[in-house]
Structure formats: structure tokens, C-alpha cells
Amino acid sequence: MTKEEVVKLLVLIESVYSNCIFKDETVQQWFQFCSEMDYEKVMAKLKNYIRKSPFPPTFADIAVFPFEENDFPETLQEWMKKGRERIERDRNHAKRIPIPDWLVEYSTRKSV
């Protein structure tokens, strides 16, 4: 995001929230923080925030950081598959092992 785009955001915030006035130091911090963000995404989040809140937004309320690619969804799917297989295997294995007499009254499984 360019400095001009950051200024547009701050002007919009100041125009909507009349008691919100940014100091020079705050504007400099917004320049620094917003440099790596996408203007359109931040503006969309700000407009949505304005519709919902009577209070000026903090930086965290409207920040949109770039998405980093990772393989976590694939890893998660693999873990879920292995978990389902393990649960099924444990269920089948549990059916073959009889429950000790002392545990029968506390178990939800019926004695085999």
C-alpha cells in the first residue's frame, strides 16, 4: 500500500468518526504497518468495520496481512485420514479383547 492510499484510509476514518484525529506519529506508524498490505482488502475491511462499529478502528481491526502458502491443509487431511483409520482399527481390535470382570460395570462396551 502506498502512502497516498494510507492517507485515504485515515481521511475516511477521520471523516466517519468525528472525534478521531490522528497525530503525526500515528500517521507515520500507519505508513510503516500498511506498507506490506493490499489497499483494496484493507479498504473493504474498513468499510465493513464502519458499518458495524460506532468506535474508530484500531490497526488490528482492519489489518489484512499477505497470505503465506503452506502445506498445512494437506497435512491436516493426512492426519485426519490416519486418525480415522486408527480409530476404526482400535474399534475392531477392542471388539476382540474381552473386558475384565472388574471393569464390566463401568464400561459402555458390552462384555464379549
Side-chain angles (χ1 to χ4, degrees):
M1 185 181 316
T2 65
K3 288 186 177 185
E4 292 79 21
E5 292 170 334
V6 174
V7 169
K8 288 179 186 178
L9 287 172
L10 298 178
V11 167
L12 176 60
I13 293 170
E14 284 185 347
S15 65
V16 171
Y17 301 100
S18 57
N19 20 339
C20 178
I21 299 173
F22 292 106
K23 298 178 185 177
D24 290 338
E25 299 85 28
T26 307
V27 173
Q28 291 299 323
Q29 289 176 342
W30 279 74
F31 285 156
Q32 182 182 7
F33 292 138
C34 291
S35 64
E36 59 193 48
M37 290 188 228
D38 181 74
Y39 172 72
E40 297 298 327
K41 291 179 181 177
V42 174
M43 183 59 86
K45 198 165 180 183
L46 174 60
K47 288 178 181 179
N48 190 36
Y49 180 88
I50 289 171
R51 287 185 199 103
K52 296 178 180 180
S53 179
F55 304 105
T58 63
F59 179 76
D61 292 326
I62 63 171
V64 179
F65 293 100
F67 176 71
E68 294 180 16
E69 287 290 329
N70 63 32
D71 63 347
F72 183 73
E74 294 171 12
T75 305
L76 180 61
Q77 292 297 325
E78 185 178 322
W79 289 345
M80 290 172 58
K81 180 181 175 187
K82 287 181 180 179
R84 283 190 297 269
E85 290 170 356
R86 181 185 49 78
I87 290 169
E88 189 61 35
R89 186 177 57 247
D90 290 350
R91 278 189 191 144
N92 292 337
H93 183 68
K95 291 178 184 175
R96 289 181 255 145
I97 299 174
I99 299 175
D101 293 336
W102 61 268
L103 186 60
V104 171
E105 72 178 283
Y106 302 106
S107 175
T108 57
R109 193 174 61 140
K110 301 295 182 214
S111 178
V112 179

